[in-house]
Amino acid sequence: MRTSRIAVTAAAVVAGLSLSACGGDDNATNAGNASSSSNSAPAEERTGSAPDSAEQPEGGSGAPETEAPDQGSAGQGSAGTGSKPERCHTDDLTITASDATIGGDETKTVAVKLLNKSDRACSIMGFAGVNLLSSEGAIPAARRDQTDDGTVLKSGEPTYFGIFYKANESGGSGVKIKGLVVTPPDEKKSVTLKWPGEPSLPVTDSPDPSVEIGPMGSVGQGQG
């Protein structure tokens, strides 16, 4: 019986040690979890604080990026100040025409003057629309193969372009010219002027245009 009691006691001791060992593992696991939670909390706080610091002016990158569009707009405004002004509209211009033929030139010239009557500078470039009003209907002017870099007209400043044509020297009545219609470049509004050149153009079947125009500035300012 004494031997049985010793065996039972030994078994109880072993079971107690086993339970202690299991309890120790749980405690270690809990301690590890607590340690992990403790370590992760500052990381989460640091992660959460990053957007807050970026929103602060002291963050460095946030403030300049917000100001960049304003600086860009200011730059564009400065560039715009030095850029070409708005184009000249028909109502900005006083348009007149005068005979500008020199000596006995076979090709006759009419100079059209466009004077900026507005109180602002305006830009003008390219070819005007030109039609001669005749007894046979409207005669459109063809464009000469010339280029134009454009002109800025200050208030009160003119520019000129030329109308070039052949006079009627056939002895017949030819094509009688009744008037001149001029439309400034890129405009829809026209002005009708008295024709200051020869009273008629020759009747011709030639494929070559009977009337041509040059771009802005194609005749000198001494004309008209």
Side-chain angles (χ1 to χ4, degrees):
M1 292 294 294
R2 184 178 181 181
T3 303
S4 300
R5 289 177 185 169
I6 292 173
V8 171
T9 303
V13 170
V14 171
L17 290 175
S18 299
L19 290 174
S20 298
C22 292
D25 288 342
D26 290 340
N27 292 337
T29 302
N30 293 336
N33 291 339
S35 174
S36 174
S37 301
S38 173
N39 291 336
S40 65
E44 290 172 357
E45 290 173 2
R46 286 195 298 270
T47 305
S49 63
D52 295 336
S53 61
E55 292 173 0
Q56 298 301 320
E58 295 81 7
S61 60
E65 287 177 358
T66 4
E67 293 173 358
D70 295 335
Q71 293 170 356
S73 299
Q76 290 174 359
S78 301
T81 303
S83 62
K84 187 178 291 186
E86 184 181 351
R87 77 169 188 268
C88 300
H89 300 290
T90 303
D91 290 338
D92 296 328
L93 302 167
T94 298
I95 304 175
T96 55
S98 61
D99 184 22
T101 302
I102 299 175
D105 286 354
E106 183 180 351
T107 299
K108 308 298 181 180
T109 303
V110 165
V112 178
K113 177 181 178 181
L114 302 94
L115 174 71
N116 180 9
K117 65 180 180 180
S118 73
D119 58 0
R120 65 177 179 87
C122 63
S123 64
I124 192 164
M125 179 178 180
F127 292 82
V130 171
N131 284 283
L132 273 60
L133 303 178
S134 79
S135 56
E136 304 298 326
I139 302 174
R143 297 176 178 182
R144 283 191 164 180
D145 186 15
Q146 293 177 265
T147 57
D148 172 31
D149 294 330
T151 303
V152 173
L153 299 180
K154 297 177 182 177
S155 179
E157 186 175 8
T159 190
Y160 302 79
F161 73 89
I163 303 175
F164 310 99
Y165 66 100
K166 300 284 187 180
N168 176 28
E169 298 176 351
S170 65
S173 59
V175 179
K176 294 182 179 179
I177 305 302
K178 299 179 177 181
L180 170 65
V181 179
V182 176
T183 310
D186 301 315
E187 287 292 295
K188 295 181 179 179
K189 185 176 182 179
S190 304
V191 295
T192 301
L193 307 173
K194 182 180 178 180
W195 174 246
E198 297 291 332
S200 65
L201 274 59
V203 177
T204 177
D205 293 329
S206 171
D208 295 331
S210 57
V211 183
E212 294 182 304
I213 58 170
M216 297 296 131
S218 60
V219 295
Q221 293 190 2
Q223 310 291 347

